[in-house]
Amino acid sequence: MSARARIVGWMLLVVTLALAVSVFATWTLLHARMEERVNAELGNEAEKLGNYIKEAGRAERDVERLLTGHLVVNAPDRHETFFTIVNGKKGRRTYVTPELDLSADDALVARLARATEPYAAWLETAAGTVRHAVIPVRSGADVGHFVIVVFYEHHSREVDESVRAVAVTAGVALLLAGAAGWWVAGRVLAPVRLVRQAAERINDSSDLTRRLHVPGNDDVAALAATFNRMLDRLERAFAVQRDFVDDAGHELRTPITVIRGHLELMGDDPQDRAETIALVTDELTRMNRIVDDLLTLAKAEQPGFLALDDVELADLTVTVLAKARPLGPRNWRVEEVADASIRADGQRLTQAMMQLIANAVRHTGPGDLVAAGSAVRGAEVVLWVRDSGPGVRAQDRERIFARFVRGGSRTHEGAGLGLAIVRSIAEAHGGRVHVESADGGGALFVITIPFHNARREPPDDVGDTIEIMLESR
């Protein structure tokens, strides 16, 4: 059973129970009030008889004439019958609508004639349930009885017909509510159906580009929006996985082929074996570096890629250049340090700066300039690495940040993943990286990230640290 059918079914069940209780309560209430009206009518007729006897009893002492006179001036209502009993015998009968003649029942008349006190009772007859009252009247030795008969069954039938009309109306309303509920449930659950269909299409074709368009701002529309965001995350995850597999397969195929070929051709000569082992070890080291870089790029798409903390830009700049000194005999220089602290991942920024410095070392020679710096410019933090090498051609400045791409004029060994890692780290911080020509020649790589939640507070030892580095250069 579909969710739509279950919702409408439960709604109809609840509404049916509510209507049933309402109809039953109405029926019970109407019958109770009708019984109260019948009893009140019996009391009213008894009161009218008493008043008539008080007025006419002074001049008329004959019981039969007294009761007959009351019947003349007092007509019964609809579904009522009056008749009299005088000295145990049936007297006169009056009615509006011909009903069952109870006065024709001698046994009933004899029983009613024995009444010495007024009373009311129920009676089952051929005309249904009857409510009747007997009022004894005495005058000397004569005894009369005034009998009021209300055909309760007819009143009850009218109530039942009214309740039946209410029930039919409630049934029609229930059908209309069911149809309206079916339509509304279909509209409300349409996004859920779209989600299911989209999931089925994705399962069949692995197409993660489909998205749901659900107008509105209710919970179901929010579900569709959440589903779309989940598809965005899945699409990115699949893209990262696909890129990782493609890149790994593309880049690792060559060293594996080289290793396999040399191992197959390796002979028994010790020198040949030593050369082959050295070559295989070098290729394995390169493969390990490629895998590490690919894993870093894959993690860059994950939420936990960054571990944010307060990072002193001055310490970061000076420390990075200190770590880079063993990379080669270069003219190392700290050009500028920012006197601010930023909320960022210090290790990832260090990794990015080290990648840029290592790239600068590969494209410069002994004694060439490699400089680093940091600054706060407006609402941005700028980190840069500058070298005096051959620079980057204008047509290569965008594509060198892609995976496995090397600048045409900057030939060097490597997988071409370093600058892609730098770009991923910058974008993970909400920033960007670009390269431009440096003043006086060479390349200037610049990382720009937003300057949020920062505080300007220059470290006490920045000047001393820079001075020490410049002296030891």
Side-chain angles (χ1 to χ4, degrees):
M1 185 180 296
S2 65
R4 185 182 189 182
R6 288 200 300 270
I7 291 174
V8 175
W10 279 107
M11 182 198 71
L12 290 179
L13 177 61
V14 173
V15 175
T16 300
L17 291 176
L19 290 177
V21 171
S22 177
V23 170
F24 178 75
T26 302
W27 180 83
T28 303
L29 180 61
L30 289 178
H31 272 276
R33 290 185 176 180
M34 184 186 66
E35 186 173 343
E36 291 177 358
R37 287 198 304 270
V38 169
N39 291 330
E41 180 63 22
L42 294 178
N44 183 50
E45 293 298 335
E47 184 179 355
K48 287 193 291 185
L49 176 62
N51 293 333
Y52 180 80
I53 292 174
K54 289 180 181 179
E55 295 295 331
R58 301 186 182 94
E60 183 61 64
R61 297 296 182 180
D62 184 72
V63 172
E64 183 176 2
R65 290 181 180 180
L66 189 63
L67 295 178
T68 301
H70 178 64
L71 291 178
V72 171
V73 299
N74 186 33
D77 293 333
R78 189 165 58 97
H79 303 311
E80 289 183 358
T81 297
F82 300 156
F83 67 90
T84 61
I85 303 173
V86 180
N87 296 325
K89 296 180 180 181
K90 179 182 72 170
R92 186 174 176 176
R93 172 175 177 257
T94 181
Y95 53 84
V96 175
T97 304
E99 304 286 358
L100 179 67
D101 186 5
L102 296 182
S103 63
D105 188 346
D106 295 335
L108 175 62
V109 170
R111 180 164 58 84
L112 295 177
R114 293 194 294 268
T116 59
E117 297 290 340
Y119 76 91
W122 295 96
L123 181 64
E124 294 295 332
T125 67
T129 304
V130 169
R131 182 71 167 168
H132 67 283
V134 181
I135 304 172
V137 178
R138 294 178 180 275
S139 179
D142 295 331
V143 178
H145 294 79
F146 184 72
V147 181
I148 307 166
V149 179
V150 178
F151 290 90
Y152 184 84
E153 190 71 23
H154 293 277
H155 292 285
S156 177
R157 192 178 301 126
E158 291 178 356
V159 171
D160 292 342
E161 289 176 357
S162 300
V163 173
R164 191 177 300 114
V166 173
V168 171
T169 304
V172 174
L174 183 64
L175 293 178
L176 294 177
W182 184 264
W183 181 79
V184 172
R187 293 292 301 272
V188 172
L189 294 177
V192 179
R193 185 168 60 254
L194 292 177
V195 170
R196 177 180 60 83
Q197 294 172 353
E200 290 177 351
R201 289 194 296 267
I202 292 172
N203 185 54
D204 294 337
S205 62
S206 298
D207 183 10
L208 296 174
T209 61
R210 299 178 182 270
R211 296 295 183 270
L212 303 178
H213 175 67
V214 180
N217 54 2
D218 55 2
D219 292 339
V220 180
L223 171 64
T226 302
F227 185 79
N228 288 337
R229 290 194 295 270
M230 182 194 70
L231 289 181
D232 292 338
R233 293 192 296 270
L234 287 176
E235 186 177 9
R236 288 196 299 270
F238 275 93
V240 171
Q241 182 185 35
R242 183 173 57 253
D243 293 342
F244 178 83
V245 173
D246 293 343
D247 294 344
H250 172 270
E251 195 66 19
L252 297 179
R253 188 178 294 114
T254 299
I256 290 176
T257 302
V258 171
I259 292 173
R260 177 184 296 173
H262 281 81
L263 290 178
E264 290 176 351
L265 297 176
M266 185 176 63
D268 296 332
D269 182 63
Q271 183 177 357
D272 181 51
R273 291 172 64 89
E275 293 177 354
T276 301
I277 292 174
L279 187 145
V280 168
T281 301
D282 182 68
E283 288 297 314
L284 290 176
T285 301
R286 189 164 72 90
M287 288 174 60
N288 183 69
R289 185 173 63 253
I290 292 173
V291 171
D292 289 341
D293 291 344
L294 289 175
L295 288 175
T296 300
L297 290 173
K299 291 178 181 179
E301 302 292 335
Q302 304 302 319
F305 179 64
L306 299 180
L308 300 180
D309 199 358
D310 290 334
V311 178
E312 296 289 347
L313 295 177
D315 289 344
L316 174 70
T317 307
V318 173
T319 302
V320 165
L321 208 59
K323 291 180 179 179
R325 287 177 56 81
L327 296 180
R330 300 293 187 270
N331 182 14
W332 300 103
R333 181 182 301 173
V334 177
E335 291 187 326
E336 184 179 352
V337 292
D339 57 344
S341 173
I342 187 173
R343 190 74 176 172
D345 188 331
Q347 294 185 356
R348 292 298 183 189
L349 291 180
T350 300
Q351 181 181 8
M353 292 291 287
M354 289 298 294
Q355 288 281 3
L356 294 179
I357 291 176
N359 182 72
V361 170
R362 283 192 294 268
H363 298 93
T364 55
D368 289 339
L369 174 67
V370 176
S374 62
V376 176
R377 297 174 182 171
E380 295 179 328
V381 169
V382 179
L383 304 171
W384 69 86
V385 172
R386 183 169 66 91
D387 64 64
S388 58
V392 181
R393 295 181 305 182
Q395 62 269 29
D396 294 333
R397 290 178 182 177
E398 290 294 333
R399 70 184 193 91
I400 60 173
F401 293 100
R403 300 181 183 186
F404 304 110
V405 174
R406 303 175 181 88
S409 63
R410 298 168 71 94
T411 305
H412 64 278
E413 295 182 356
L417 294 174
L419 295 181
I421 292 175
V422 174
R423 185 182 64 178
S424 296
I425 294 174
E427 291 177 351
H429 284 85
R432 63 191 185 278
V433 61
H434 69 279
V435 60
E436 57 190 55
S437 297
D439 295 337
L444 174 63
F445 286 84
V446 181
I447 299 174
T448 305
I449 57 179
F451 187 43
H452 298 308
N453 301 326
R455 55 182 177 83
R456 295 180 178 274
E457 184 177 325
D460 296 336
D461 58 346
V462 172
D464 297 339
T465 305
I466 297 175
E467 183 177 354
I468 293 173
M469 288 190 59
L470 293 177
E471 290 178 352
S472 60
R473 184 182 58 187

